[in-house]
Amino acid sequence: MSDISNPVVEAIEEEAQRRKPAKAVRPILRLMPFLVHYRGMLTLALVSLVLATLATLAIPMAGRRLIDNGFNRESAAFVDQYFIALVLVALVLGVASAARFFFVSWIGERVVADIRRAVYEHVLQLSPAFFEVTRTGEVLSRLTADTTLIKTVVGSSASIALRNIFLFFGAGAMMAATSPYLSSLVLLAIPAILLPLIVFGRWVRRLSRSAQDRLADTSAFGTESLNAIQIVQAFTHEPIDNERFGSTVESAFDTARSRILARAILTALIFFFGLSSVVGVLWVGANAVLAETMTGGELLEFILYAVFAASALAALSEIWGDIQMAAGATERLMELLDVEPEIAAPAQPQALPAPRGEIAFDNVTFAYPTRPHVSALHGFSLAVAPGETVALVGPSGAGKSTVFQLLLRFYDPQSGHVRLDGVDIRDAEPRDVRGRLAVVPQETVVFGTTVVENIRYGRPEASEDEVRAAARAARIDDFIMQLPDGYQTQVGERGVTLSGGQRQRIAIARAILRNAPVLLLDEATSALDAESETLVQQALEGLMADRTTLVIAHRLATVLKADRIVVMEEGRVVASGTHDELVRQGGLYARLARLQFAGDRDMLDENARANAGAAV
């Protein structure tokens, strides 16, 4: 799968960031099955975390000893020992912190990679019915932005949270051990500090989200107008679009200004309440030192532990939003993993016999999931003998493409049976059924890779010679050899560097290479010019010679050589026979043939008259 361009990724991530976070963090527990695979790394990360916390908590104790023992000649050796000990503590802290960062980051990247693979693998197995009600962009957003949010938590925020939880409780315990009285004062001050932070913090988050929305509006409008720059200029719409863009920019600025003001007020409150609390504790502690109820070293030790506890609490409050966002992202990803494929292999699939290419639809009735009250096929029956070429014709909405959808088992009918080589395809493994079919769709799909890989998509194990043989059969080898890198030429995203006819011939070469016993052609020459259509029709005739072929065609001239033409209307078979038989019968086919072929004759007569006039 080709990489998504950066603007698309940024847009997807912005959309995910604007989603509401989860109200609870319980969904994160769904990550445990992915985490337990790496117990060794988790253990190493936990050990590193504990060592780093203990090393951090040892620093204030050393500071207390230094202050209380004083700085004089008699205690010089004592001071040296403590500074050496502090260097060793710094070494342990540095090594443990680095190890914690490495192990936790590795776990984060590994878990996210596993989740992405699991979700993508699962999504590939979901039936088209799922994509009728789910936007592809939503799935991509979950695969990219949501997994990135999870990586932030598992690989970073979770580590920070655990470290600060350990540090907060460790520092709190040491504060209580150092001075129970000062600890009680700190506990009384905590609500007064947290309440305004929570209130203003929510205000800042709300304004931040609003600022993101306004920025996204600006980006969306600018992208839309620039992508259609020729239309903008052709209709002299530049002043109006410029005014609209300016309005969205000013709206984004106004929202950002409100966010900046709120953040400034929040910062002022943090400094005021935080520093006031520290000053208050210092004042009480200084009086205790003067009263000789505690030493200067004990006061220093308490203050350092209080700073550790406060910084840990502040860090926890900051990452709480990230954890909630990650919980929401996990919930959305698990929703995808919980979706059961509507089309699945039976517990004990029936093996298909030797390939013959026999197809049978027996009284099939089917309605698409999004249109349950409208039958695309109703009592549809069709038997196709091995090697027979059958054309399906009829007006749009008659159910022709639905026949292909059911044969490929993208859907199951509500009633009736679809059989391939005598086996009901619901009793067989879907991959085995699809392995006997080669498809040339009307809407050609070309992937953003090389020409050879696009053709080889029909049979990944095919050799270079087999790929070239298929290209020659599709009458596209000469064109490919004129490309800068021949078969190794990159065709761009969705094949943008190729014309519609060239893309369609690549799709035909892909079907030729697949070499399946059943060939499905859905307007396989609709994007070709007259000369290319003649060449490809010759290639298709050779390909169809020993295969069962179903052809969907709106242009009746392309199906005149079919063994049988099946006329469909409103999901039913209304007539069947050769072209001449159906014309003699009258009805829908005769009317369609009269309209098309009469139009072709009128066009030919008009061209002849124009050429004659030009000659005169």
Side-chain angles (χ1 to χ4, degrees):
M1 188 171 62
S2 62
D3 292 337
I4 306 172
S5 60
N6 287 338
V8 175
V9 172
E10 291 172 1
I12 288 173
E13 291 183 351
E14 283 180 5
E15 180 183 354
Q17 289 285 349
R18 292 195 300 272
R19 291 169 171 167
K20 292 182 179 179
K23 295 181 179 179
V25 296
R26 183 175 298 176
I28 290 182
L29 296 177
R30 294 287 302 273
L31 298 176
M32 291 306 298
F34 296 94
L35 286 167
V36 295
H37 290 298
Y38 309 106
R39 294 185 183 89
M41 298 295 283
L42 285 170
T43 302
L44 292 172
L46 185 61
V47 170
S48 303
L49 181 62
V50 171
L51 286 175
T53 303
L54 292 176
T56 303
L57 294 175
I59 294 173
M61 297 174 64
R64 172 185 174 180
R65 298 295 188 277
L66 284 171
I67 295 297
D68 287 345
N69 287 307
F71 297 94
N72 50 55
R73 294 176 182 269
E74 290 76 11
S75 61
F78 174 81
V79 171
D80 291 343
Q81 292 174 6
Y82 267 91
F83 274 104
I84 292 172
L86 280 174
V87 171
L88 293 176
V89 167
L91 177 63
V92 172
L93 179 60
V95 173
S97 298
R100 174 189 57 82
F101 172 80
F102 173 79
F103 293 132
V104 173
S105 298
W106 186 95
I107 292 170
E109 294 286 352
R110 183 67 266 171
V111 166
V112 165
D114 291 347
I115 291 174
R116 280 178 175 157
R117 291 192 61 175
V119 172
Y120 185 73
E121 180 182 7
H122 184 73
V123 169
L124 286 181
Q125 298 173 7
L126 298 179
S127 61
F130 170 79
F131 294 97
E132 284 188 19
V133 296
T134 306
R135 295 180 303 159
T136 304
E138 174 68 17
V139 177
L140 288 175
S141 176
R142 299 187 189 196
L143 277 171
T144 54
D146 285 344
T147 51
T148 301
L149 290 175
I150 292 174
K151 181 176 68 176
T152 299
V153 168
V154 177
S156 176
S157 297
S159 170
I160 295 172
L162 287 173
R163 179 172 65 85
N164 284 287
I165 288 172
F166 281 29
L167 189 59
F168 176 76
F169 285 105
M174 295 304 294
M175 284 167 61
T178 304
S179 176
Y181 176 64
L182 293 182
S183 298
S184 63
L185 293 179
V186 171
L187 289 175
L188 291 175
I190 286 176
I193 298 173
L194 289 182
L195 185 60
L197 294 184
I198 292 173
V199 173
F200 279 89
R202 288 177 178 173
W203 182 31
V204 170
R205 283 196 297 271
R206 185 169 63 251
L207 289 174
S208 295
R209 179 170 295 179
S210 179
Q212 280 187 321
D213 290 340
R214 300 291 77 76
L215 185 62
D217 293 341
T218 302
S219 176
F221 181 82
T223 301
E224 185 179 43
S225 59
L226 291 178
N227 284 340
I229 188 63
Q230 293 184 357
I231 296 297
V232 172
Q233 294 178 350
F235 285 88
T236 61
H237 220 260
E238 300 94 329
I240 298 174
D241 282 6
N242 187 44
E243 182 64 27
R244 288 180 180 175
F245 185 78
S247 297
T248 59
V249 169
E250 288 303 317
S251 177
F253 170 74
D254 291 339
T255 307
R257 182 176 55 191
S258 299
R259 176 182 59 81
I260 293 168
L261 176 62
R263 190 64 181 264
I265 294 173
L266 181 60
T267 302
L269 289 173
I270 290 173
F271 275 97
F272 174 72
F273 286 109
L275 290 177
S276 296
S277 301
V278 172
V279 170
V281 172
L282 279 173
W283 177 60
V284 175
N287 284 321
V289 172
L290 291 174
E292 297 183 354
T293 57
M294 72 182 303
T295 66
E298 288 174 336
L299 178 60
L300 175 65
E301 181 181 17
F302 181 86
I303 291 173
L304 288 177
Y305 282 131
V307 170
F308 288 168
S311 61
L313 192 61
L316 287 171
S317 66
E318 286 182 5
I319 66 172
W320 179 249
D322 292 340
I323 292 175
Q324 285 183 307
M325 293 291 291
T330 303
E331 199 169 25
R332 289 184 288 271
L333 284 167
M334 295 307 143
E335 284 175 1
L336 280 182
L337 288 176
D338 290 340
V339 175
E340 293 292 336
E342 293 188 18
I343 303 300
Q348 295 181 339
Q350 182 177 347
L352 293 174
R356 301 193 308 275
E358 181 183 357
I359 300 170
F361 286 76
D362 182 13
N363 197 29
V364 170
T365 296
F366 170 74
Y368 286 97
T370 54
R371 304 186 298 275
H373 303 297
V374 180
S375 293
L377 294 179
H378 187 76
F380 178 81
S381 295
L382 175 66
V384 182
E388 185 180 12
T389 297
V390 175
L392 304 178
V393 301
S396 297
K400 304 183 296 295
S401 296
T402 303
V403 173
F404 282 18
Q405 299 275 314
L406 294 181
L407 186 57
L408 286 159
R409 210 190 165 202
F410 292 153
Y411 303 90
D412 282 335
Q414 280 79 42
S415 63
H417 302 276
V418 181
R419 294 184 174 87
L420 177 63
D421 290 333
V423 175
D424 191 321
I425 62 175
R426 282 179 292 198
D427 298 330
E429 167 65 50
R431 290 179 58 86
D432 293 343
V433 172
R434 294 164 188 164
R436 298 194 175 191
L437 308 172
V439 186
V440 181
Q442 182 177 8
E443 296 182 4
T444 306
V445 176
V446 175
F447 299 95
T449 181
T450 62
V451 174
V452 67
E453 289 303 319
N454 267 288
I455 298 175
R456 192 178 274 137
Y457 205 86
R459 187 154 53 89
E461 70 276 9
S463 66
E464 295 277 349
D465 291 339
E466 290 172 321
V467 170
R468 291 203 61 175
R472 283 193 293 268
R475 304 299 195 271
I476 197 173
D477 178 67
D478 291 342
F479 162 75
I480 295 173
M481 295 307 296
Q482 294 174 3
L483 294 174
D485 298 316
Y487 280 80
Q488 299 301 325
T489 301
Q490 294 282 338
V491 298
E493 188 176 2
R494 297 188 301 276
V496 293
T497 62
L498 305 175
S499 69
Q502 290 160 354
R503 289 196 296 269
Q504 200 153 35
R505 276 187 282 174
I506 284 180
I508 292 171
R510 185 186 296 160
I512 292 172
L513 183 65
R514 190 163 180 81
N515 196 28
V518 177
L519 185 62
L520 307 178
L521 304 177
D522 188 355
E523 287 288 349
T525 60
S526 62
L528 302 179
D529 55 51
E531 182 179 358
S532 297
E533 181 178 1
T534 301
L535 295 173
V536 173
Q537 283 287 3
Q538 295 172 359
L540 289 175
E541 287 174 9
L543 175 65
M544 294 158 54
D546 300 320
R547 290 173 175 80
T548 303
T549 307
L550 284 179
V551 183
I552 293 176
H554 292 99
R555 295 160 60 188
L556 302 184
T558 62
V559 298
L560 297 179
K561 296 182 180 179
D563 298 323
R564 183 158 45 110
I565 299 173
V566 174
V567 185
M568 298 180 62
E569 187 175 20
E570 296 182 353
R572 294 180 174 86
V573 175
V574 296
S576 178
T578 63
H579 170 75
D580 294 335
E581 292 171 348
L582 292 172
V583 170
R584 286 195 298 270
Q585 291 176 16
L588 175 60
Y589 183 85
R591 186 168 70 252
L592 293 174
R594 186 166 56 253
L595 288 172
Q596 287 197 25
F597 294 129
D600 291 343
R601 283 196 297 271
D602 292 343
M603 186 177 296
L604 289 173
D605 293 342
E606 184 177 343
N607 289 339
R609 287 193 297 271
N611 291 335
V616 173

